[in-house]
Amino acid sequence: MKYKVKYWISVDFLAEEIIEADDFNAQSLNQGKYSDPSKNANYTVNDSIKVTRRTFEEYDEKPDNSIKERISD
């Protein structure tokens, strides 16, 4: 028998990217379109991964047999 284990984790990431000075106002700290990291940012895991919850369920490698009789109310 096999089991599928699912992990819910918390991770602190660090995202870094280089932006043009025209896109950033240092006086007002207005980041414009860079208020969130873009897909081009470099992501690294900062610190460690913390498992907050895990579940186990039986894992059957056989596909669902749709020929089985189904019961409905």
Side-chain angles (χ1 to χ4, degrees):
M1 177 180 290
K2 294 184 180 183
Y3 288 91
K4 180 192 285 186
V5 182
K6 294 181 183 179
Y7 299 96
W8 281 260
I9 59 173
S10 286
V11 180
D12 290 330
F13 278 100
L14 174 64
E16 296 179 309
E17 60 186 320
I18 307 300
I19 62 173
E20 294 293 329
D22 297 340
D23 295 335
F24 181 76
N25 185 339
Q27 297 289 335
S28 66
L29 297 178
N30 181 2
Q31 296 128 3
K33 65 181 180 181
Y34 293 103
S35 59
D36 293 321
S38 72
K39 65 178 182 176
N40 298 324
N42 293 323
Y43 293 88
T44 55
V45 174
N46 191 17
D47 200 21
S48 63
I49 296 172
K50 299 166 190 87
V51 176
T52 58
R53 183 173 57 147
R54 76 180 61 80
T55 60
F56 299 84
E57 62 186 58
E58 290 184 14
Y59 179 75
D60 190 0
E61 294 181 13
K62 298 174 189 171
D64 185 24
N65 186 353
S66 60
I67 298 173
K68 290 181 182 176
E69 181 179 333
R70 302 196 186 269
I71 300 171
S72 63
D73 291 336

